[in-house]
Amino acid sequence: MTSKLGTRSLNPKRVAVLSGVLVIALLLDLFLKDVVPDSSIRQLLMLAACNVLVALSLNVINGMAGQFSIGHAGFIGIGAYTSAVIASHLHQSFGGGEPTFARSFIVVPSCMLASASMAGLFGFLVGLPSLRLRGDYLAIVTLGFAEIFRLIIATAHADSASGSGPLARIGAAISSLGGQNGYQGTDNTGIPLYAGPFWIVGLVALLGVVAWRIKFSGWGRALRALREDEIAAAAVGVDPTRYKVTSFVISAAGGGIAGGLMAIMRDGLGIVNPDNFNFQASFDAITMVILGGSGSVTGSAIGGVFITFTVKAIELLQGSSVVQDLRRSFDWLDLNALRMIIYAMVLIALMILRPEGLLGERELFGTKRS
């Protein structure tokens, strides 16, 4: 048995695929700037990859476990702030300067580990109510958590953190995150951007494999059994408490990693703002999962890319000369409202044509059955 397991783990095909992904990620890190000179396009590509992680992580709880969470932006925000703070302090300890690829092997793993741990901890706390709540009630709890997180940071002020007790120290730590103006590093000159294509593409590939293995493992089948009929699943030995809470922790940790990458993403803005993690961000994440196909790993990835480029296309349409001419002709025309109207129309059309999402619960490739 040992030799069989060892042979399976060292499958030449898997080693070749892994090596190929690492080589591609390294080449992208070294030459993407030359191939794509426009930094805004590079930023869009990296954001799409990060949104794939957002969709994959939310798919664990919403798609596989059937627990309706609409506060995923809270976990993404926790990961983003955690990563930004750690990267800024590590960068300062290095003496500043330009972020280098060599330093990233210290900074990025440290940030990702901390982001996943912090978001996973809050996922555990939020997952506890899932033992008693489901459906709309659970959705309200997760939404409330995300809004509380965002508002605590957005409304924090330095002058409100007076005193020397534990609460004062916590208040001072929260106020140091910049409040409504956002966090821009320890010296307010911007967050050091260490996460290039090597780390982003590599982590997307790695966590994509993890999500795939979760779905087609006995653990993933148990999750889907709970989703379909919790009483019947419990009757055959599936522990609802263990599986529900664990799925929340995994989903939250994945969201934390996605947020952590967004905060220190190369070609990013170098700032983490609480408004980036509002209800709209959670809604976008849910849309990625539903459009791609709830429970489908590859469908979630497609949904993440689709929504990222759709939102960007609408923003470009917003700035077109035709729309600007309309804005000058009709002062009452709200461009942000127009963007949301177009976005909603796209979603309605897709839901009418494909109510189960692009793939349903199927996968784009592979012959394994769930």
Side-chain angles (χ1 to χ4, degrees):
M1 179 178 294
T2 304
S3 60
K4 289 182 179 180
L5 289 175
T7 302
R8 183 179 180 183
S9 64
L10 294 176
N11 188 306
K13 184 177 179 180
R14 295 181 181 179
V15 173
V17 171
L18 177 60
S19 301
V21 170
L22 290 176
V23 170
I24 291 172
L26 181 59
L27 291 175
L28 285 174
D29 202 289
L30 295 175
F31 300 112
L32 183 62
K33 191 172 183 178
D34 298 326
V35 177
V36 185
D38 191 334
S39 61
S40 62
I41 297 179
R42 295 198 303 270
Q43 182 186 37
L44 178 62
L45 294 174
M46 293 299 99
L47 180 61
C50 291
N51 279 335
V52 168
L53 290 181
V54 170
L56 289 176
S57 60
L58 184 59
N59 187 48
V60 173
I61 185 66
N62 276 30
M64 298 182 193
Q67 302 293 303
F68 192 52
S69 169
I70 58 175
H72 206 56
F75 301 123
I76 299 171
I78 289 172
Y81 274 98
T82 302
S83 180
V85 170
I86 291 178
S88 298
H89 282 84
L90 284 176
H91 184 68
Q92 188 179 50
S93 69
F94 292 145
E98 287 294 323
T100 64
F101 186 60
R103 289 181 183 177
S104 71
F105 282 87
I106 297 176
V107 176
V108 177
S110 299
C111 291
M112 295 306 101
L113 181 60
S115 296
S117 300
M118 187 64 70
L121 173 61
F122 279 92
F124 174 77
L125 297 176
V126 175
L128 290 178
S130 71
L131 304 178
R132 294 180 175 272
L133 302 175
R134 65 183 64 187
D136 298 340
Y137 301 102
L138 179 60
I140 293 172
V141 169
T142 57
L143 175 61
F145 157 74
E147 285 300 292
I148 289 172
F149 160 77
R150 182 179 67 85
L151 292 174
I152 285 177
I153 294 179
T155 58
H157 300 285
D159 55 1
S160 64
S162 58
S164 58
L167 292 179
R169 287 194 291 271
I170 294 174
I174 295 175
S175 63
S176 68
L177 297 178
Q180 193 64 47
N181 295 325
Y183 181 74
Q184 302 182 53
T186 54
D187 52 3
N188 289 324
T189 59
I191 300 166
L193 306 177
Y194 277 96
F198 175 81
W199 293 104
I200 295 176
V201 173
L203 283 170
V204 168
L206 175 63
L207 296 183
V209 171
V210 170
W212 182 276
R213 295 302 297 268
I214 286 176
K215 176 177 178 177
F216 291 108
S217 66
W219 199 87
R221 292 185 177 90
L223 274 185
R224 280 171 285 158
L226 284 173
R227 179 190 66 189
E228 299 300 329
D229 192 326
E230 183 176 326
I231 296 177
V236 295
V238 177
D239 184 358
T241 299
R242 176 189 172 196
Y243 282 92
K244 283 184 178 181
V245 175
T246 304
S247 64
F248 256 102
V249 172
I250 293 174
S251 178
I257 292 174
L261 285 174
M262 290 178 185
I264 60 173
M265 179 180 67
R266 191 184 300 170
D267 295 312
L269 301 177
I271 180 173
V272 178
N273 194 291
D275 288 340
N276 294 334
F277 312 109
N278 55 17
F279 174 71
Q280 182 61 50
S282 293
F283 178 75
D284 286 343
I286 295 171
T287 306
M288 294 171 193
V289 174
I290 293 176
L291 284 183
S294 223
S296 172
V297 176
T298 50
S300 297
I302 293 172
V305 174
F306 179 83
I307 292 300
T308 303
F309 282 96
T310 300
V311 171
K312 185 62 177 179
I314 294 173
E315 289 178 357
L316 292 175
L317 178 63
Q318 223 176 307
S320 66
S321 58
V322 175
V323 175
Q324 292 301 323
D325 289 341
L326 287 173
R327 181 70 179 87
R328 285 188 288 270
S329 301
F330 304 97
D331 293 336
W332 50 266
L333 184 62
D334 187 341
L335 295 181
N336 287 325
L338 177 64
R339 179 176 72 87
M340 294 309 300
I341 290 172
I342 297 174
Y343 188 31
M345 290 172 61
V346 172
L347 296 182
I348 291 172
L350 284 171
M351 287 296 96
I352 292 175
L353 298 173
R354 295 284 296 179
E356 74 277 17
L358 295 176
L359 298 181
E361 200 170 344
R362 300 182 301 276
E363 298 297 342
L364 193 61
F365 55 86
T367 58
K368 293 182 180 180
R369 297 181 62 87
S370 57

